[in-house]
Amino acid sequence: EKVDAPSLKQAGVGFLYNNKEITRLDLPELEKTEKNFLYNNKKINELNLPNLKQVGDNFLCKNQKLTSIKAPMLKNVGSNFLSNNEIIDEIELPKLEDIKNYFLYSNQNLTKLELQNAKRIEDYFLYNNQKINEVNLPKVEKIQNYFLNDNKELTKLKLPSLEQIENRFLYENIKLKEAELPNLKIVQNEFLKSNKELQKLELLSIENVGDSFLYSNEKLKEFNAPNLEQVGWSFLYENKELTQLDLPKLKEVGMAFLSKNQQLTKLKVPNLKKAGIGFLEDNIKLIELYAPMDEEIREKFSERIAWNKKMLKLKNISKLDKKSELTTTEINSAKKIIEEDILQNDKENNVEKSE
């Protein structure tokens, strides 16, 4: 069944709500819809909306046959835009600027999304989309909570204009390998937490981050943030491949800073002024630490780390000169101490298990 309404410019609440027969809809003059437009339509598979500019909440939610949508004039959408559409795989929204909550939530067939003019994104954007592997958002400046969480196939992301994000950005994306965020300055909690494939990340503009930043990224080897000044709890907690880190402007860190990094050997934090408990706890291979060893920082070490055995030298950055870096001989000596210590710990653990 086909519906034509060539002169309709505005659709009210619940327009064609829960319709089980319509397959095609032609609305060439429609400019605005209220909430629940075409909600839960079982058969619709063809739409013509060339002049649509604004839609309310629940636009085209739960449509089981729709495979594509083109809305070349659309600028503003409400919450739950195209949520729970099982087979949609093509979307063209070239003028869209403002995106509300649950945009394209739980769409299982979408593989690519490009929104050239989107600037602001609210909560749950593209949450739980199992096949999407490419997202292009060149003008987005601010993102709220749960952006692209739990996406199983995403490998690459570019957000060149992004400056600020809130909680759970890219949480548990198991295949993500590249993320370009050159202008990002402020992030809140659980940024890129539990990503299994990410190996390198540069955040050249970042200044402040919240809790659980880059928590448990198993393959992260390189991280560069030259302007980072303040971090929350569990910063880079439990990263298994990171070996060196230089944070020249870092001043304040929360609890469990860089705890349980199994391969970290060298850390430079020359301007560090405040640290929480658990500072560098369980970093069994750390040899070189370049930090201002004032009373407070020393206290954090004495509380949590047997640093006199695990590290050969602690440098006071205020007295550093060109000869202050450790020599190869000193580093090798420290590595030997660490290896012997690990071997001894393993022996003690084996004895305990056998008893």
Side-chain angles (χ1 to χ4, degrees):
E1 184 179 343
K2 180 180 179 181
V3 173
D4 296 321
S7 300
L8 183 67
K9 291 195 172 185
Q10 183 168 336
V13 175
F15 180 83
L16 291 173
Y17 182 97
N18 199 28
N19 192 289
K20 299 180 181 179
E21 302 300 327
I22 293 175
T23 58
R24 293 185 294 167
L25 186 61
D26 188 10
L27 303 171
E29 298 298 320
L30 185 67
E31 296 181 357
K32 182 180 179 180
T33 75
E34 302 294 338
K35 65 181 180 180
N36 296 333
F37 176 87
L38 285 173
Y39 185 97
N40 195 27
N41 281 257
K42 307 293 185 184
K43 294 184 179 181
I44 196 161
N45 57 40
E46 187 177 335
L47 281 173
N48 183 28
L49 304 167
N51 286 298
L52 187 62
K53 296 179 175 68
Q54 183 177 342
V55 303
D57 296 341
N58 303 326
F59 177 86
L60 283 167
C61 282
K62 296 184 179 181
N63 283 264
Q64 298 178 5
K65 298 292 184 180
L66 192 66
T67 59
S68 68
I69 181 170
K70 297 179 181 180
M73 305 301 291
L74 186 61
K75 288 188 175 182
N76 300 295
V77 301
S79 299
N80 288 314
F81 177 86
L82 283 171
S83 289
N84 295 105
N85 283 263
E86 297 296 330
I87 61 172
I88 196 164
D89 60 12
E90 184 180 2
I91 294 173
E92 291 186 20
L93 306 168
K95 292 192 175 183
L96 185 63
E97 294 181 0
D98 290 310
I99 297 172
K100 301 297 183 184
N101 299 325
Y102 296 97
F103 178 87
L104 286 166
Y105 180 95
S106 193
N107 283 264
Q108 304 303 322
N109 213 39
L110 190 66
T111 60
K112 181 180 179 180
L113 181 65
E114 185 169 345
L115 300 172
Q116 289 289 349
N117 284 294
K119 294 179 181 178
R120 292 164 293 275
I121 295 176
E122 292 189 3
D123 297 343
Y124 293 98
F125 175 87
L126 283 174
Y127 187 101
N128 191 28
N129 284 258
Q130 301 300 318
K131 293 185 179 180
I132 198 158
N133 56 50
E134 187 176 343
V135 178
N136 185 19
L137 305 168
K139 294 185 179 179
V140 168
E141 298 171 358
K142 184 178 180 180
I143 292 173
Q144 293 187 15
N145 302 303
Y146 303 99
F147 175 87
L148 278 166
N149 278 205
D150 197 23
N151 285 266
K152 306 300 185 188
E153 298 296 327
L154 186 68
T155 60
K156 187 175 183 179
L157 181 68
K158 291 184 179 182
L159 296 169
S161 300
L162 183 64
E163 295 184 359
Q164 184 176 347
I165 59 177
E166 296 187 8
N167 300 310
R168 287 205 171 187
F169 174 86
L170 287 170
Y171 181 95
E172 290 190 353
N173 282 259
I174 60 175
K175 292 188 178 180
L176 185 71
K177 291 185 177 181
E178 296 180 48
E180 295 185 21
L181 308 161
N183 288 299
L184 185 61
K185 294 180 180 178
I186 299 172
V187 307
Q188 293 189 19
N189 302 325
E190 297 184 303
F191 172 88
L192 281 168
K193 182 178 177 180
S194 300
N195 285 263
K196 306 300 183 185
E197 296 294 328
L198 188 66
Q199 296 183 24
K200 180 179 179 180
L201 184 63
E202 278 195 334
L203 299 175
L204 301 181
S205 300
I206 197 79
E207 297 172 358
N208 296 286
V209 304
D211 299 338
S212 299
F213 177 88
L214 285 167
Y215 184 110
S216 189
N217 281 259
E218 295 182 359
K219 294 186 179 180
L220 187 68
K221 293 181 179 180
E222 297 181 45
F223 176 65
N224 185 22
N227 291 297
L228 186 61
E229 295 185 2
Q230 183 175 347
V231 306
W233 295 2
S234 301
F235 173 85
L236 282 167
Y237 184 98
E238 202 174 40
N239 285 264
K240 297 178 180 179
E241 297 294 329
L242 192 67
T243 60
Q244 298 189 18
L245 190 59
D246 187 358
L247 301 169
K249 293 187 178 181
L250 189 63
K251 296 177 182 178
E252 183 175 341
V253 303
M255 295 171 59
F257 173 80
L258 280 167
S259 290
K260 297 186 178 181
N261 280 260
Q262 298 175 6
Q263 303 299 324
L264 189 67
T265 62
K266 184 175 182 178
L267 173 66
K268 289 187 176 183
V269 281
N271 287 295
L272 188 63
K273 292 178 171 57
K274 186 176 181 181
I277 61 173
F279 178 76
L280 286 169
E281 185 175 15
D282 290 337
N283 282 262
I284 58 175
K285 293 187 178 181
L286 186 62
I287 297 169
E288 298 179 80
L289 174 67
Y290 300 93
M293 283 291 112
D294 59 23
E295 185 175 345
E296 182 177 352
I297 303 299
R298 283 186 181 278
E299 184 180 349
K300 300 305 176 188
F301 277 103
S302 62
E303 287 174 357
R304 297 290 175 179
I305 310 176
W307 55 270
N308 58 327
K309 187 174 183 180
K310 298 285 174 59
M311 290 178 238
L312 185 65
K313 288 189 177 181
L314 298 175
K315 300 290 186 181
N316 186 323
I317 201 69
S318 63
K319 298 179 181 179
L320 273 180
D321 55 36
K322 292 182 180 179
K323 297 180 181 179
S324 294
E325 293 279 346
L326 296 182
T327 66
T328 302
T329 301
E330 290 173 324
I331 290 172
N332 289 336
S333 176
K335 286 181 178 178
K336 186 176 180 181
I337 293 171
I338 289 169
E339 290 169 358
E340 290 173 353
D341 191 51
I342 292 172
L343 184 61
Q344 181 61 34
N345 287 338
D346 289 342
K347 287 181 179 179
E348 291 173 359
N349 290 334
N350 289 334
V351 170
E352 289 178 3
K353 288 178 182 179
S354 62
E355 292 176 350

